[in-house]
Amino acid sequence: MRRALELAALGLATTHPNPRVGCVLVQGGVVVGEGWHRAAGEPHAEALALAAAGESARGATAYVTLEPCAHHGRTPPCADALIAAGVSEVIYAGADPDPRVDGAGAARLRAAGIRVRGGLLAAAADELNAGFISRLRRGRPFVRLKIAASLDGRTALANGASQWISSEAARADVHRWRARSDAILTGIGTVLADDPQLTVRLGDTAQRQPLRVVLDSRLRLPRSAKVLNSQGKALIFSRRDAVGAELAVAAQAAMQADGIGLEWLESDGNGLDLAAALRHLAGTLQINELLVEAGATLSGALLRLGLVDELLIYQAPMLLGQDARALAQLPALSLLADAPRFQFSELAVVGGDLRMRLRPA
């Protein structure tokens, strides 16, 4: 199963909107076939492993990182393929949250007389597909908030200068997190201040570019912005009432002509309805993992609403002082017990910086 998980991880940046899945077939203690899902529309991990094993699949044990599917999508059901190949046992790690599967795959295998066991290394498998599970079960993406900060928790000088707080190695590492994300979210303030590309740049090879999403209530985004003119697609969330009916119609037509998405949201009382934006990304666009690279205002809003699933913080060994900008705008507290708390899931040194991954406690 650990080998199957290694195989599944090969699809970190390519399987959207499908889950990352690996499969290993074992016959008499010997691996006779293995495979991993590469991209939507291409064969699933089980099909590739069965093809590699050939006749050796008969009587073999299949180790799969996700419950085999039982429905017809772009490819036939994997449960049927395993039955037809004559495997004797299927051991899977994580349950499939897709309502078209969710136990149906295991039931179909058992009905065919195949031994089935689930839950082996399930936590590792669920971690690999945290975004897919979040989209199917919660109706929103897994939200990862990336921040580069100093030792005293500051992200820029008072004048806005922030290039570069983190090291070159840390900035390169961010591109790997971008590569596994289906979309990158930022706010109009960040775009106007820094004009970021928000693209994946890992060497000279072509990369699948995540959707770039900008929150822009009043449509202040200039058409020359790099997020609109780099590789990949862009989407803007705005407010029709803040823009005005006449400008809204013109903007919709102009952006549609340029291939730029524009969606209207209501206000939640403080700004754009962030929960509604996440629901749209998951439901309409099938976004599994969302990486947020934004300033203190948007970061603070997401944290206040409990919409952050993971903090990805690169802490640089420098001090910027009390006048520098904080990593998130949060309300003042009178009780320490009211402070949002997190727990570490990973600590690593990247270049000269400390990379921390934290989850809500």
Side-chain angles (χ1 to χ4, degrees):
M1 187 63 81
R2 292 192 189 281
R3 173 58 181 163
L5 288 165
E6 290 175 358
L7 291 168
L10 295 175
L12 271 176
T14 62
T15 63
H16 167 77
N18 290 353
R20 298 131 181 174
V21 183
C23 178
V24 175
L25 292 172
V26 177
Q27 177 78 267
V30 177
V31 172
V32 294
E34 59 182 33
W36 56 280
H37 182 49
R38 290 168 172 79
E42 295 191 14
H44 287 189
E46 297 94 322
L48 291 170
L50 290 170
E55 286 301 315
S56 297
R58 189 161 300 279
T61 296
Y63 293 85
V64 193
T65 60
L66 191 69
E67 178 189 356
C69 62
H71 65 285
H72 283 272
R74 301 187 201 183
T75 59
C78 291
D80 289 355
L82 291 165
I83 294 168
V87 301
S88 62
E89 184 175 23
V90 173
I91 302 173
Y92 65 88
D96 192 331
D98 190 324
R100 296 171 297 178
V101 186
D102 201 11
R108 185 174 298 188
L109 293 167
R110 290 191 178 98
I114 296 173
R115 295 190 303 275
V116 180
R117 288 187 286 161
L120 179 61
L121 299 184
D126 288 351
E127 179 70 20
L128 196 61
N129 285 310
F132 179 74
I133 293 170
S134 177
R135 175 169 67 84
L136 269 295
R137 290 192 174 152
R138 301 189 299 174
R140 71 167 180 83
F142 182 91
V143 177
R144 181 176 288 115
L145 175 58
K146 171 259 171 183
I147 298 172
S150 62
L151 285 176
D152 48 350
R154 305 291 171 166
T155 59
L157 298 179
N159 63 10
S162 62
Q163 297 181 343
W164 295 102
I165 290 176
S166 58
S167 65
E168 184 176 351
R171 297 196 300 275
D173 190 63
V174 170
H175 284 274
R176 286 185 278 274
W177 290 98
R178 287 181 180 178
R180 67 174 287 169
S181 303
D182 303 318
I184 302 175
L185 175 70
T186 194
I188 183 62
T190 296
V191 175
L192 294 177
D194 300 332
D195 195 19
Q197 295 184 60
L198 300 182
T199 54
V200 178
R201 301 185 294 280
L202 292 171
D204 298 327
T205 57
Q207 306 289 331
R208 178 186 71 88
Q209 295 297 337
L211 174 71
R212 293 182 297 282
V213 184
V214 181
L215 300 179
D216 182 11
S217 295
R218 291 176 287 153
L219 285 184
R220 293 183 291 155
L221 184 66
R223 300 305 291 273
S224 60
K226 292 177 182 176
V227 292
L228 300 181
N229 297 287
S230 302
Q231 292 179 325
K233 296 182 179 180
L235 169 67
I236 301 170
F237 282 117
S238 188
R239 281 175 51 195
R240 197 188 302 270
D241 62 329
V243 172
E246 186 174 341
L247 179 57
V249 172
Q252 190 98 49
M255 291 186 185
Q256 184 175 2
D258 289 344
I260 301 167
L262 176 59
E263 293 292 335
W264 304 108
L265 293 177
E266 301 295 330
S267 170
D268 66 355
N270 297 305
L272 287 172
D273 188 335
L274 298 178
L278 295 183
R279 288 194 299 272
H280 177 83
L281 291 174
T284 304
L285 301 176
Q286 295 185 297
I287 300 299
N288 292 331
E289 289 189 22
L290 177 69
L291 180 66
V292 180
E293 300 189 37
T297 302
L298 178 52
S299 297
L302 289 166
L303 286 166
R304 286 196 306 274
L305 293 170
L307 296 176
V308 175
D309 298 303
E310 181 172 270
L311 290 175
L312 176 64
I313 298 179
Y314 295 86
Q315 190 171 46
M318 65 172 70
L319 298 169
L320 297 185
Q322 64 181 13
D323 292 333
R325 299 183 181 182
L327 60 82
Q329 289 183 4
L330 295 170
L333 298 174
S334 57
L335 295 174
L336 196 58
D338 294 334
R341 295 186 179 273
F342 297 83
Q343 56 190 12
F344 292 103
S345 62
E346 182 192 47
L347 292 171
V349 175
V350 179
D353 302 327
L354 178 63
R355 184 184 72 196
M356 299 178 284
R357 292 172 62 196
L358 306 98
R359 302 278 175 88

